Amino acid sequence: MIKRVVDFFGDERHAKRRRRLFYLVLVLIIIADFLVFREHAEYLWERLPGWSALYGFGSCVLLIFVSKFFGHQCGLMRREDYYD
């Protein structure tokens, strides 16, 4: 059983099936977000469907770009062949 799971996520032959599964889960999450009751939301943007997902995605992207910027500017990141 474990070998089948590892093969599914690690083998390139299953890339199309993985992508379809990802899109299916994404659509189900978006549909589920429209079913959530938001009467206790404090701010207007909290009542928008998909706000949490958009905010989380934007925060992650911002975190990646800021960390890469600081990594390059402060000398924390090195070239791949640094130790060669």
Side-chain angles (χ1 to χ4, degrees):
M1 177 69 181
I2 298 294
K3 184 175 178 357
R4 290 178 60 194
V5 171
V6 170
D7 285 344
F8 180 73
F9 286 106
D11 196 358
E12 197 59 35
R13 294 178 297 165
H14 302 290
K16 191 173 184 179
R17 291 176 63 196
R18 282 192 311 255
R19 194 174 307 116
R20 286 183 180 167
L21 180 65
F22 169 74
Y23 288 138
L24 175 68
V25 170
L26 184 63
V27 167
L28 290 175
I29 290 172
I30 291 171
I31 290 171
D33 195 32
F34 280 98
L35 301 175
V36 174
F37 297 109
R38 293 173 174 29
E39 65 263 1
H40 297 292
E42 189 171 339
Y43 301 106
L44 175 66
W45 54 85
E46 291 177 344
R47 294 183 181 162
L48 297 174
W51 165 252
S52 300
L54 184 65
Y55 181 74
F57 179 75
S59 299
C60 288
V61 169
L62 183 66
L63 181 66
I64 290 169
F65 283 123
V66 167
S67 62
K68 285 182 73 73
F69 173 76
F70 281 129
H72 287 294
Q73 295 299 318
C74 299
L76 299 173
M77 295 178 69
R78 303 284 185 206
R79 297 183 325 271
E80 288 184 28
D81 60 349
Y82 177 72
Y83 291 108
D84 288 343

